[in-house]
Amino acid sequence: MSIIREETPEDAADIRRVNERAFGQPNEADLVDALRRRGAVTLSLVATEDSRIVGHILFSPVTIESAGAGSPAIALGPMAVLPEYQNRGIGSQLVEAGLKMCRDAGHKLVIVLGHPNFYPRFGFIPAKSLGITCPFDVPDEVFMVKVLVESSSIVPSGAVKYQPEFMEV
């Protein structure tokens, strides 16, 4: 089982390597670096095995905009695991730990653009079902939301506005 912990400044190069290898391109690693540089990271966790970083997950602030008002939420992503460590539950550990920490910090809603066969096991549902829309042209089933609190009255509807760095990925 992996050890999940918060990122430290010394982890940046290893986090970059994990994202580049997991996605097979530098775009997600560039996104993480850009969000970190601007201080637009809510939570960044790493998974380690034998003191080696093998996975990473990042959460950043978003707003759900409707009728000129914005409601705060959190975006999950990217989430990456080194290819040779995939299918061992490391991604699930990262998601579970991150969602718990977001809930404990008082966040109410998490948005994800991800695999429709992976995220529903953590309680994510299509965002469209709650009236939440994506700024990217993606299939409805890959844009999901998880409500972190029991009261459904807190769920705003509207268009998600990501950090500007997401528009460059």
Side-chain angles (χ1 to χ4, degrees), residues 16-125:
R16 181 169 185 83
R17 179 181 50 82
V18 167
N19 279 282
E20 286 178 338
R21 292 214 32 236
F23 290 102
Q25 64 182 13
N27 297 19
E28 287 78 7
D30 291 346
L31 172 63
V32 170
D33 290 345
L35 289 167
R36 189 186 298 119
R37 269 193 308 274
R38 200 166 59 79
V41 173
T42 301
L43 179 65
S44 181
L45 302 175
V46 295
T48 64
E49 289 197 2
D50 299 322
S51 300
R52 178 181 184 208
I53 294 177
V54 299
H56 173 251
I57 193 169
L58 185 120
F59 295 83
S60 60
V62 296
T63 56
I64 300 173
E65 297 187 340
S66 179
S71 298
I74 300 295
L76 183 168
M79 193 273 289
V81 177
L82 287 174
E84 63 270 28
Y85 286 86
Q86 291 176 4
N87 299 311
R88 297 185 186 182
I90 295 168
S92 294
Q93 286 180 264
L94 284 164
V95 172
E96 288 169 352
L99 291 175
K100 180 182 183 321
M101 292 176 84
C102 286
R103 183 176 26 259
D104 291 350
H107 299 291
K108 295 176 173 61
L109 200 65
V110 176
I111 302 291
V112 69
L113 182 58
H115 296 286
N117 295 328
F118 180 73
Y119 289 99
R121 72 180 77 163
F122 306 101
F124 283 89
I125 61 171

